Every structure is written in structure tokens, then in C-alpha cells.
């Protein structure tokens, strides 16, 4: 097993998910008038190593163009990792007969054990959140829907 994969397996041992469940329970599923805030759930998949698992997120609006996403990812049914990242959000292109969309980008440094700096890029269209992620050693996708 490559060292980078071993470090990813160790990351949940040094990250804290304390507080995520409280934020999840207190967040409204669909806050009125906010296209991104609230609770999301789905899955993540690494294209680099095939790892995958359930994913939940709580999105909180910080200002007109920024939301904080706090993610809770599970791997192998028992290992959990939680982290937050700020996303810069812009209105997406207008589409005929399609839900309004928003595009976003962000990055976060998950530390050595977490794989270093991850860059995120994606879109929210209606109740579907899709994103790619990329780091020096990993890349893949997040797919979530509103709760």
C-alpha cells in the first residue's frame, strides 16, 4: 500500500468530529431563501484509490458569496473524518427549463495525515450538490442531495 493511502487511513484517527452531529441536528434542512445552506447527504469517491463512503455536510452562509461547508465523511463503515472549508459561490449560468444553479470553488489544508491541501470545484443545481476534489495525492467526487 502506498504511503499516501496509509496516511489517508490514519487521518480519521487524528481528526475530531465533535460538534458535527450537533450542527447537523440544529441546521434546518432547507433554510428559506438560501440556495445552499442546510443539510446535505450523499457519498464521496476517490478516483485515485477507489476509496468511497457516505458523506454528509452542513452548509452555513457567511456572506453574499461565501458559505462554510462542514463535511462528515465515513470510510470502511467505521472510520470518520470531519473538516470545514469555505466555498466562494457565484450564480451559475441560466438554463432553460432547469433549476437555478450556483458554482463554487474552495480549498482546505487537511494536514499531512489528511492528504494536504485539497481544492474543490462544483455546482449546486436545485437539490443536487456535485463537486470534484483534488490534492497532490488524491482526486475524486462528492455527490449529495438536500436532506
Amino acid at each position: 500500500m502506498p504511503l499516501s493511502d496509509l496516511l489517508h487511513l490514519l487521518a480519521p484517527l487524528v481528526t475530531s468530529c465533535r460538534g458535527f452531529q450537533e450542527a447537523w441536528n440544529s441546521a434546518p434542512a432547507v433554510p428559506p431563501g438560501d440556495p445552499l445552506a442546510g443539510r446535505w447527504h450523499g457519498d464521496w469517491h476517490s478516483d485515485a484509490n477507489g476509496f468511497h463512503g457516505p458523506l454528509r455536510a452542513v452548509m452555513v452562509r457567511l456572506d453574499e458569496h461565501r458559505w462554510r461547508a462542514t463535511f462528515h465523511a465515513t470510510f470502511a463503515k467505521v472510520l470518520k473524518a470531519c473538516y470545514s472549508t469555505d466555498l466562494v459561490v457565484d450564480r451559475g449560468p441560466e438554463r432553460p427549463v432547469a433549476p437555478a444553479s450556483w458554482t463554487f470553488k474552495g480549498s482546505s489544508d487537511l494536514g499531512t495525515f489528511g492528504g494536504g491541501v485539497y481544492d474543490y470545484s462544483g455546482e449546486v443545481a436545485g437539490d443536487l450538490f456535485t463537486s470534484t476534489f483534488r490534492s497532490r495525492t488524491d482526486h475524486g467526487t462528492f455527490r449529495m442531495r438536500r436532506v
Side-chain angles (χ1 to χ4, degrees), residues 44-67:
W44 64 273
H45 181 271
S46 169
D47 295 332
N49 54 37
F51 295 163
H52 60 91
L55 177 68
R56 294 187 296 160
V58 175
M59 302 279 286
V60 176
R61 182 180 220 147
L62 300 175
D63 61 36
E64 185 179 350
H65 292 284
R66 289 183 318 128
W67 276 257

Side-chain angles (χ1 to χ4, degrees), residues 12-139:
L13 302 176
V14 297
T15 61
S16 173
C17 289
R18 202 178 338 202
F20 179 85
Q21 193 61 44
E22 183 179 314
W24 177 266
N25 291 340
S26 65
V30 183
D34 194 318
L36 279 78
R39 296 179 291 174
W40 297 81
H41 70 98
D43 57 50
W44 64 273
H45 181 271
S46 169
D47 295 332
N49 54 37
F51 295 163
H52 60 91
L55 177 68
R56 294 187 296 160
V58 175
M59 302 279 286
V60 176
R61 182 180 220 147
L62 300 175
D63 61 36
E64 185 179 350
H65 292 284
R66 289 183 318 128
W67 276 257
R68 174 155 301 136
T70 301
F71 296 104
H72 180 283
T74 304
F75 171 70
K77 298 183 182 178
V78 295
L79 299 175
K80 296 173 181 15
C82 295
Y83 63 93
S84 295
T85 190
D86 291 354
L87 302 173
V88 176
V89 179
D90 289 307
R91 180 71 184 214
E94 293 295 324
R95 302 178 195 169
V97 196
S101 67
W102 287 263
T103 59
F104 61 84
K105 290 185 180 209
S107 67
S108 56
D109 187 346
L110 303 185
T112 301
F113 286 116
V117 175
Y118 279 76
D119 293 314
Y120 307 92
S121 178
E123 178 182 53
V124 172
D127 70 346
L128 181 61
F129 177 109
T130 57
S131 177
T132 58
F133 64 85
R134 180 168 295 282
S135 74
R136 183 176 46 81
T137 60
D138 198 6
H139 63 280

